[in-house]
Amino acid sequence: MRISRLLVVAAMLAVFASLPAARSPAADYKPEYKVSTVLGPPFPWGVAAEKWAELVAQRTDGRIVMKVYSGSQLVQGDQTKEFTAMRDGIIEMAVGSTINWSPQIKELNLFALPFLMPDHAAIDALTQGDVGRDLFAIIRQRGIEPLAWGENGFRQLSNSKREVRKPEDLQGLKIRVVGSPLFNDTFSALGANPTQMSWADAKPALATGAVDGQENPLTVYVNAKMETLGQTYVTLWNYVADPLIFAVNARVWNSFAPADQEIVRQAASEAGKLSIQLARDGDAEAEAELPTMGVRVTRPSAAELRAFVAATRPVFDTWAGRIGPDLVGRAESAVAASKP
Ligand code: X2X
């Protein structure tokens, strides 16, 4: 009797042990993980987020199903609430802009310091170097696991009123700006009249003429068809760029088996690279297309750019103090070292 019971237990153990190991943690997994973005496809941002979800679904044999919700719909259109919602677990994952998370992570304002990064090499010097690692460590301390960098792109100025080649041209123009107060300060310093609003509100505001202009990468300009919203003057000035961050709520992250964490991280890294490539190629294509769409493109000369730099320098200095002079100093050194 005793022996037969032991045999039964042994047989049961043998059956459990033979179950595929990778399947067991899936029991704790959610049927779906919500991924928040501001822009969906065909914007590069949305394409890259979908790619992340697709790679993870394939490589985990469907154990981890990620669904992308664009338009900041998981935070009722308020993109500046995305980081908090993800930290609180309302959203499990996001591909978020550094701008939209900077109200919670002040150090992410770094990328919005006017004229810190002149070119793509400068962005890479920050995100792919020590500065990027330090920023990820700061985010990690706040209950979010950052996995990879992506890119929204250099933000160029457009408006419906006139060519902007020098700060005086911005005088009195009503410009829609994004969520960080740093943008208000920059445009106020340039003599414009900045109005902060979400992306959800920006398009109607441009369409009705409630605002005269906005700033966004050219891929956003063309995919949102801003030339049809009266935005016929574009100034290419590379004044700031916003990287994207692929990230997961820490509790969700810790619930994944190590092998699955590796898959999710690797997929984010590949989708991040795709995001950077799509953003850069897309901006270059859009730049070539703009003149054929009846858009007047202005590219200030180096001397003309210096006037914008000088006018915004007090804003740079004030915000460098808030972001952390040490971090900003190291960022400036990394940018200087990236120059050919
Ligand atoms: O709102 C914007 O301008 C956008 C889409 O670029 C961001 O989310 C930062």
Side-chain angles (χ1 to χ4, degrees), residues 60-301:
T60 60
D61 295 326
R63 279 192 305 283
I64 298 179
V65 177
M66 295 158 56
K67 179 146 190 248
V68 181
Y69 293 83
S70 61
S72 321
Q73 57 185 289
L74 299 172
V75 280
Q76 289 73 49
D78 187 350
Q79 61 216 58
T80 61
K81 300 264 170 20
E82 185 179 70
F83 187 86
T84 307
M86 180 170 43
R87 196 195 53 210
D88 295 347
I90 295 162
I91 297 170
E92 285 102 17
M93 305 179 178
V95 181
S97 159
T98 48
I99 299 172
N100 298 330
W101 295 0
S102 62
Q104 289 81 39
I105 309 277
K106 66 178 183 356
E107 291 85 355
L108 290 180
N109 281 293
L110 177 73
F111 300 102
L113 284 175
F115 303 101
L116 169 65
M117 302 172 291
D119 51 26
H120 293 137
I123 304 178
D124 294 342
L126 300 187
T127 57
Q128 310 304 316
D130 291 350
V131 168
R133 255 195 306 282
D134 290 355
L135 290 171
F136 271 16
I138 291 166
I139 293 170
R140 198 169 286 121
Q141 280 163 11
R142 305 286 287 275
I144 299 292
E145 182 64 27
L147 302 178
W149 293 95
E151 195 159 297
N152 191 20
F154 272 113
R155 302 179 72 89
Q156 318 294 5
L157 181 69
S158 74
N159 84 92
S160 59
K161 296 286 186 215
R162 55 182 176 259
E163 181 181 29
V164 174
R165 184 177 281 284
K166 46 189 191 307
E168 299 84 86
D169 299 329
L170 266 165
Q171 194 63 44
L173 285 187
K174 218 167 167 194
I175 306 292
R176 175 267 172 172
V177 292
V178 281
S180 164
L182 167 49
F183 285 81
N184 260 317
D185 292 357
T186 298
F187 281 89
S188 297
L190 291 170
N193 180 6
T195 312
Q196 195 208 303
M197 64 181 77
S198 68
W199 173 250
D201 293 336
K203 264 183 93 170
L206 291 167
T208 60
V211 294
D212 303 316
Q214 63 85 45
E215 48 74 62
N216 249 303
L218 292 183
T219 57
V220 179
Y221 179 99
V222 292
N223 282 302
K225 302 193 171 29
M226 289 198 196
E227 74 282 4
T228 67
L229 305 175
Q231 296 293 296
T232 46
Y233 296 94
V234 169
T235 299
L236 302 179
W237 61 342
N238 283 14
Y239 88 117
V240 303
D242 55 326
L244 302 176
I245 300 175
F246 291 66
V248 179
N249 166 290
R251 285 184 302 279
V252 171
W253 180 250
N254 292 329
S255 75
F256 290 157
D260 284 338
Q261 288 181 341
E262 188 44 40
I263 290 172
V264 175
R265 188 187 295 282
Q266 177 60 27
S269 159
E270 290 170 36
K273 287 198 182 83
L274 175 72
S275 148
I276 293 169
Q277 187 205 324
L278 290 176
R280 293 180 185 181
D281 292 353
D283 279 346
E285 266 166 47
E287 192 177 327
E289 261 173 44
L290 285 182
T292 69
M293 302 180 339
V295 176
R296 168 93 173 252
V297 179
T298 302
R299 194 188 308 274
S301 67

